Amino acid sequence: MDDVRRRIPRTDAVLAMPEFADAIARLGKDGVKAAVVAAQQRARQGEIDPAGVPETALAALPIGATSLCRVLNATGVLVHTNLGRAPLSEAACEAITAASYYTPVEFDLADGSRAKRGLPVTEALLAAVPEAEAAHVVNNNAAALLLTAQALAQGGEIVLSRGEMVEIGDGFRIPDLLTSAGARLREVGTTNRTTLADYADAIGPDTGFLLKIHPSNFRISGFTAEVDVAELARLGPPVVVDIGSGLLSRHPRLPDEPDAASALRAGADLVTASGDKLLGGPQAGLLLGTTEIIDRLRRYPAARALRVDKLTLAALEATLRGPRPPVTAALATAQEQLAARARRLAGQLTEAGVDADAVPSTAAVGGGGAPGVELASAAVSLPVWFAAALRAGHPPVVGHVDDGRCLLDLLAVDPADDEALEKAVLRVREDAGCT
Ligand SMILES: *Cc1c(COP(=O)(O)O)cnc(C)c1O
């Protein structure tokens, strides 16, 4: 036993080995040291040979310093909330990297004076949505609604249809969010039908604003009625529209999904939206509206608590001004293209001995957008056991199980990642030693 202990290499000696330099640069010394100590412990317990300590420690190290690694989304859900919603464009990723150094977020490089934070993003938003007089960005759409309720309706009333009392997810409900801002809710109409008269009757001296919320994650059909923005705008009080998914203008493939430009043209005074759904950008809350309202929101004390960091500003500006982000590109992909990719992938996998088929599939926008809309897609179908094995790979691939098969839907997979997808499947097959 003593002999084994004597043969265990010292921590310092292991950490000084050249193959550990890269790991320390990537992960930090403490994390690497912990892995070495754990491997030494295993050697002491006789589980591994003392000479194997460095190798065991290296094998136990995580790939990166964060568990938020890159995942291939083959679920067929384009904006997958559990997978971080929208993947950023390369331009946005580069913008984040640049802005993570010192960056002129509140500085005018031309004359060396202080500059207004967020101005370039605001200008990019107004260029994309000329219908808005002014714009402001906060942490997310929930923050946009909170700020709006506080600044425009604290101590007063928000008029909202009973058909639009939305639970966003994870137990968070917009009505609770609004009342937590110190506003009272004035519910009007019924779950399925709300009329203009319902809103008109509810308006009084306490009315802060009329709120329209897009039911972005459910659908009511049958005997229904709702009031459109143009009609609400004629009633007098400010009209606020939560469009949810962040489409700035109409999308031909999503005819029922509300967009910011149309809502403003119809007379909305303020539109709120998420930045990381169909806009395809970073998590953010977009506020677009009249100069008067945006100024009130911007100056409201809580605005400082809800403001976004420089990384978000950088990514959002690059999303708005740069090449189209992956979500937009995916939405524009025809089923033929997806089917051709599925056939090519399945063909190559079959050749390598994997039980793979190209099959048609149905994808969805997901993440609180275009509920019920089915996007024609294509998938590679594999034996069901691949699902768990692929999730455990590097990079992890998340597919979905349907009818006893593991389906890898290609809609949300960047075509540039097809090769990585193929390699991931082949690696899993090799590790398992079967098809
Ligand atoms: C997604 C969504 C929200 C919440 O947006 P976050 O950016 O996640 O805070 C609010 N309202 C609607 C209609 C939504 O679809």
Side-chain angles (χ1 to χ4, degrees), residues 85 139-143 145 166 168 174 213-217 242-245 272-277 283-285 367-369:
R85 290 194 179 161
N139 183 54
N140 57 14
N141 193 8
L145 288 166
V166 178
I168 314 170
I174 296 181
I213 300 176
H214 175 48
S216 59
N217 51 11
D242 170 12
I243 60 166
S245 72
T272 78
S274 298
D276 55 354
K277 293 180 178 173
Q283 178 187 304

Side-chain angles (χ1 to χ4, degrees), residues 296-330:
R296 272 170 78 186
L297 299 181
R298 228 200 303 263
R299 281 201 304 266
Y300 195 80
R304 182 64 167 79
L306 305 174
R307 83 173 190 185
V308 291
D309 73 331
K310 60 181 182 170
L311 305 183
T312 301
L313 290 172
L316 186 56
E317 188 182 351
T319 302
L320 291 163
R321 291 206 192 273
R324 67 180 183 177
V327 165
T328 314

